[in-house]
Amino acid sequence: MPADQPFPPGARRAVRPASAKPCPACGELAGRGYPSCPVCAELVDQFWAADWRALLAAKSVAPGGTEERELAELLLADEVGRHPWTCTDWAMTLLRCSACGAELGAGPLSCLRCKVADEGRWAWDHMGFPTRMTGNEHALRVARAVLRAPHRQRDTVLRGWRLSLPFLLVGELPTSGQAQRIRAFVLAERDEELVRCRSLEEMAGLPGVPWRRIS
């Protein structure tokens, strides 16, 4: 790994919640209302925002102005690994796609610029994992990206990440076998049972063969 690409870690400045608890605003386990629920959005985004604020302070840039947007554009044009992956994501959140006008990387599937931006962000994970990014952090990053652009995903993918996010926030990560079982239950449309679970292990351990319900 080049010396000038330190791959600084991300999402480690804010304190993770000790356990998954209901959101006082939407009533779901905190995180499942992301990004439409303001409380869930604040809980999730705090890990990205903390790293971005640290970058603004280091660059002596005030938030909310032209300089911040210019910094976001420069960061996305920089080499992979010079900044935390959270800052890459936050820069994309701040910018609008010049082609479709949506949040960069979250526009319609037909938008080529959003497609390129979204695919480009994952270079950090490929090059920095597993020494500079944990499996949980990668999963948390994917969950946020998916939920910010639901129209770009299959319904089963969207539901799976939404159901899992509260547990990813507290640091859980399913094994390969658990992830496969959870996906099977999502495909079987057993969301009512999954939503009552209080851990990824419990979600994966639901009894019965997860056949798809036929209505």
Side-chain angles (χ1 to χ4, degrees):
M1 187 179 296
D4 62 345
Q5 293 186 332
F7 286 82
R12 300 181 188 177
R13 294 178 185 273
V15 178
R16 296 288 191 101
S19 61
K21 297 181 179 179
C23 170
C26 69
E28 298 272 7
L29 282 186
R32 280 191 182 144
Y34 187 85
S36 58
C37 171
V39 175
C40 288
E42 183 177 0
L43 174 65
V44 174
D45 282 343
Q46 65 176 322
F47 301 101
W48 280 258
D51 289 339
W52 184 256
R53 286 194 299 267
L55 177 63
L56 291 181
K59 299 292 186 181
S60 299
V61 172
T66 302
E67 277 190 297
E68 183 180 30
R69 291 191 295 275
E70 290 176 347
L71 177 61
E73 291 173 349
L74 289 172
L75 185 149
L76 294 180
D78 210 342
E79 293 180 73
V80 177
R82 290 188 180 276
H83 306 282
W85 52 269
T86 43
C87 289
T88 299
D89 290 350
W90 200 260
M92 293 174 65
T93 301
L94 292 175
L95 298 176
R96 290 289 173 266
C97 174
S98 59
C100 71
E103 176 183 310
L104 184 60
L109 287 171
S110 59
C111 179
L112 181 59
R113 184 160 191 259
C114 279
K115 174 181 171 61
V116 170
D118 183 53
E119 290 179 350
R121 84 167 88 197
W122 306 111
W124 203 108
D125 304 52
H126 296 315
M127 299 170 71
F129 182 84
T131 58
R132 307 301 289 172
M133 169 186 266
T134 68
N136 169 268
E137 289 164 353
H138 170 69
L140 193 62
R141 187 186 199 195
V142 174
R144 181 181 182 272
V146 166
L147 294 177
R148 290 191 73 82
H151 52 283
R152 298 178 66 86
Q153 308 295 332
R154 298 189 304 274
D155 178 64
T156 52
V157 172
L158 180 66
R159 285 161 42 221
W161 285 113
R162 190 180 299 283
L163 286 162
S164 301
L165 183 53
F167 310 121
L168 298 177
L169 285 171
V170 303
E172 293 186 28
L173 181 68
T175 65
S176 296
Q178 288 173 338
Q180 290 173 1
R181 282 189 60 82
I182 292 171
R183 181 175 181 275
F185 287 120
V186 171
L187 288 170
E189 300 180 0
R190 292 177 62 175
D191 296 38
E192 291 183 7
E193 296 168 77
L194 290 168
V195 80
R196 292 195 293 268
C197 295
R198 289 299 179 264
S199 70
L200 293 176
E201 182 179 8
E202 187 178 346
M203 288 172 68
L206 286 175
V209 179
W211 298 116
R212 181 185 295 273
R213 288 177 180 157
I214 300 176
S215 57

